[in-house]
Amino acid sequence: MKDQQKIIENIAKEIRRRFAKESSGHDWWHIERVWKMARWLAKKEGADLFVVELAALLHDIADWKFHQGDDTAGPRVARPLLSQYGVAEEHVAHICHIIKTMSFKGAGVETKMETLEGKIVQDADRLDAIGAIGIARAFAYGGYKNQPMHEPDQKPVFHQTKEEYFHNSGTTLNHFYEKLLLLKDRLNTRTAKRLAMSRHQFMEDFLKRFFEEWEGRI
Ligand code: ADP
Ligand code: NI
C-alpha cells in the first residue's frame, strides 16, 4: 500500500514536469483536476484507487489528437513509464486499456468503457471539458489550433468516425454542439451526472449570452 502511494507520487512528479507550460488546455492543472476528481469519484463508487489515479495522471501522456490520430500512442508512451516506476503488469495492461479507449472521438462514435475504473477516469476528464473551465479550455484549444472562434454560416457537424472528427476543421463555437453539450448524456457514473448538471447549464447560459452579444441585442 505504501509502495503504491510512493509510485503515484513519483509518477505525478514526472507528469507535472512534462506538462509544465502546455498551452492547449492539456496542461498539468488539467491533469491535476482530473486526478483529484477521479480520486473523489473512485472513493464514492468503490473503484480501485491505484488504477484510477495512475490512469488519470497518464490519460493525456500522448493524446491521439496530437499524434496524427493514432490512439495507440498513449499506451506506447505510458507502458514503459509505468514499468520503469515499478507498476505490476496486470495494472499496466488495465491502465493502458483505459488510456486507449477513453477519449471522445466524434458525436456518432461510441467510446464505451469496460471497467468501473475506466468509467471513472473518463467521467473525470469529461467533467473538465464542460462548465466554466470547459469553456476556457475550448477557447484555449481553438487558439492553439488557429481555428476561428465563430463563423455564423458554418454549421456543426456530427462526426460519424474518428477520422472525420480528427480531420475536422471547425470553429470553437461549433465544438460546443459537436461535443461539449453532448457530454452530460455520455457520463457513466451517477455522481458525475449529478455534477454535470450545473456545468452544462452554465454553458447553455454562456452560449445564449454569446449570441445575444454577437447580434448586439444586449
Ligand atoms: P477527451 O479527453 O474527451 O478526448 P480532448 O482531449 O479531446 O478530450 O479535449 C480536451 C479539451 O480540448 C477539451 O476541453 C475540448 O473541449 C478541447 N477541444 C478539443 N477539440 C476541440 C476543438 N475542435 N475546438 C475547441 N476545443 C476543442
Ligand atoms: Ni484530458
Side-chain angles (χ1 to χ4, degrees):
M1 214 51 187
K2 198 156 162 280
D3 279 359
Q4 292 195 338
Q5 210 41 52
K6 195 74 205 151
I7 292 174
I8 292 170
E9 268 170 42
N10 288 339
I11 292 184
K13 251 187 233 152
E14 167 86 27
I15 299 293
R16 183 173 186 150
R17 192 180 58 72
R18 290 197 194 194
F19 280 78
K21 307 236 171 83
E22 208 277 350
S23 65
S24 75
H26 294 79
D27 52 278
W28 161 252
W29 300 110
H30 161 64
I31 311 284
E32 204 211 31
R33 287 189 303 272
V34 172
W35 178 26
K36 283 188 182 158
M37 176 63 78
R39 193 161 53 194
W40 185 73
L41 291 173
K43 283 181 185 157
K44 287 222 161 243
E45 305 277 338
D48 180 336
L49 263 173
F50 184 61
V51 168
V52 164
E53 292 196 49
L54 290 182
L57 282 167
L58 289 164
H59 84 274
D60 274 335
I61 187 83
D63 192 298
W64 68 291
K65 283 192 304 308
F66 303 118
H67 289 79
Q68 296 82 42
D70 176 6
D71 63 8
T72 63
R76 217 170 34 243
V77 179
R79 181 169 277 284
L81 198 136
L82 286 164
S83 302
Q84 182 196 325
Y85 281 94
V87 179
E89 175 52 32
E90 54 171 313
H91 289 138
V92 174
H94 189 177
I95 293 162
C96 288
H97 185 67
I98 294 174
I99 298 172
K100 182 169 187 287
T101 49
M102 64 180 272
S103 218
F104 184 87
K105 298 185 178 81
V109 185
E110 233 202 333
T111 46
K112 201 165 157 22
M113 301 307 287
E114 281 159 20
T115 63
L116 176 61
E117 287 71 25
K119 290 182 170 132
I120 284 172
V121 182
Q122 187 181 55
D123 279 1
D125 192 31
R126 292 187 168 178
L127 284 170
D128 209 55
I130 62 175
I133 287 185
I135 295 171
R137 292 183 67 220
F139 287 99
Y141 186 89
Y144 174 82
K145 282 284 195 185
N146 292 321
Q147 78 188 14
M149 187 169 82
H150 180 44
E151 290 291 349
D153 297 332
Q154 201 170 321
K155 295 278 165 278
V157 182
F158 290 86
H159 306 101
Q160 297 302 326
T161 65
K162 104 182 207 287
E163 288 71 27
E164 261 177 63
Y165 180 68
F166 177 68
H167 292 292
N168 141 67
S169 53
T171 66
T172 299
L173 251 286
N174 279 349
H175 186 66
F176 283 82
Y177 299 94
E178 292 165 358
K179 172 182 174 188
L180 306 184
L181 294 172
L182 310 177
L183 290 180
K184 79 167 179 24
D185 295 323
R186 298 191 181 203
L187 294 169
N188 308 293
T189 62
R190 278 165 59 107
T191 318
K193 284 181 191 164
R194 188 168 49 73
L195 275 182
M197 281 161 58
S198 75
R199 296 187 185 208
H200 180 88
Q201 189 55 48
F202 190 83
M203 292 194 295
E204 296 274 20
D205 295 344
F206 167 78
L207 289 169
K208 180 167 173 284
R209 176 97 199 185
F210 183 96
F211 290 118
E212 282 171 352
E213 291 183 16
W214 187 276
E215 284 154 23
R217 281 191 273 126
I218 49 170

